[in-house]
Amino acid sequence: MNDLIIKQTHALIQAGEIAEAEANLAVIAEQEGDHALVEVLDEMAPKDVLAVMREFDTSKESIINLVVSPEQFVQAIVLERQYGEPIERYVPRLRNTMNAVMHRTAGACAEVLECLAEHDEGVRVLADYFTDHYDSLQALAYHGVFEAEIDLEKALAPKSAATWDAERVDELDQGLEIGDAIEMVRVRIPRSEVADGDWMETAWVLRHELPDTFELMIIEIQDRLRRAAEAAAAPVVEAAEPGVPRLDEDDEESAI
């Protein structure tokens, strides 16, 4: 029976009928119970599970997101990076899909994060999930809050882009070792203050309950920031016309 349902669901997904595929799976839960649906999901290809979850996030509820196990979910969500979507579409979709499962219950977040931590791509997926919030994550690591105290005089002083990039690299190099920071700095905010069912609550759980994984993610984030700063500081090479080699000044003189 499960094989037939899985084949039907796969065919619907291949045809782009995602809503119908989800409805096909929901019938199982209605007729046989959630446990039967979990068994079917466990036998489905992770890419098919992901296809359904991508269409049903925190804005559109689905029985799939409510019953999928952490293990099944992680097998599916790590495939999200392979779609190659532009980052402005990829990150919101990833975050919404993850939030729909991680924040369905109070304990689900830690369960999913634990499974994600065991996957080879888990730390990278987490760093993707927190894109646009790297400064807040580092503040949580080093200060125990999402917004570190700012030296206004220094912050408001005019800086060139090159100076800003250099200072950013220096800050990353001179900061506390993240492992020491996690041991020495306690989280200064309760979960109730950040219980938004979004990235802040996810970060709190990760920092509070999975410090080793949090440390690895901060290292990944710092590496990304360092590479971005180095790329921003690199000289821009003017593009030559197609098929025409770009000559240095000395070469131009000799050519004349």
Side-chain angles (χ1 to χ4, degrees), residues 12-239:
L12 289 169
I13 292 172
Q14 289 293 98
E17 302 292 341
I18 308 299
E20 192 171 340
E22 193 272 344
N24 196 45
L25 294 170
V27 169
I28 301 172
E30 294 173 1
Q31 296 181 347
E32 302 179 40
D34 292 350
H35 67 282
L37 177 55
V38 171
E39 291 180 1
V40 171
L41 293 176
D42 194 35
E43 295 178 27
M44 284 176 58
K47 65 179 181 179
D48 285 346
V49 177
L50 176 62
V52 176
M53 290 192 300
R54 290 175 104 231
E55 294 296 317
F56 294 85
D57 51 33
T58 51
S59 62
K60 296 182 291 181
E61 291 187 355
S62 167
I63 185 64
I64 310 303
N65 293 335
L66 295 176
V67 304
V68 65
S69 71
E71 293 80 9
Q72 294 165 345
F73 174 70
V74 168
Q75 287 179 9
I77 200 63
V78 295
L79 299 177
E80 187 73 60
R81 300 186 95 230
Q82 299 178 13
Y83 277 76
E85 285 186 316
I87 192 167
E88 61 271 13
R89 292 180 58 190
Y90 162 62
V91 171
R93 187 194 293 275
L94 174 70
R95 191 175 294 146
N96 287 337
T97 304
M98 290 180 66
N99 286 342
V101 176
M102 288 195 299
H103 297 293
R104 61 191 178 188
T105 64
C109 190
E111 292 175 355
V112 171
L113 290 174
E114 285 176 2
C115 289
L116 200 55
E118 295 174 359
H119 196 282
D120 290 343
E121 289 293 308
V123 170
R124 293 189 182 92
V125 171
L126 283 171
D128 293 344
Y129 170 91
F130 288 111
T131 297
D132 300 328
H133 302 292
Y134 288 169
D135 286 346
S136 296
L137 266 289
Q138 291 195 98
L140 184 64
Y142 295 117
H143 304 282
V145 292
F146 284 105
E147 292 186 12
E149 295 180 359
I150 300 173
D151 184 337
L152 291 178
E153 183 177 349
K154 180 180 179 181
L156 295 176
K159 298 181 180 68
S160 66
T163 300
W164 187 92
D165 291 335
E167 287 186 0
R168 191 57 172 278
V169 171
D170 287 342
E171 287 174 3
L172 296 179
D173 289 339
Q174 295 172 8
L176 286 172
E177 288 291 335
I178 183 61
D180 294 337
I182 289 176
E183 292 182 5
M184 296 170 59
V185 179
R186 66 180 180 82
V187 180
R188 293 157 49 191
I189 47 176
R191 181 172 181 174
S192 59
E193 285 190 16
V194 293
D196 58 354
D198 199 357
W199 68 271
M200 292 184 76
E201 186 171 7
T202 304
W204 190 96
V205 174
L206 188 63
R207 172 75 162 84
H208 191 265
E209 300 190 26
L210 291 92
D212 290 343
T213 303
F214 183 80
E215 174 185 343
L216 292 174
M217 186 191 68
I218 292 296
I219 292 172
E220 171 70 17
I221 285 174
Q222 290 182 341
D223 184 57
R224 292 185 181 191
L225 290 173
R226 182 177 289 105
R227 284 187 276 117
E230 291 172 350
V236 177
V237 178
E238 295 180 8

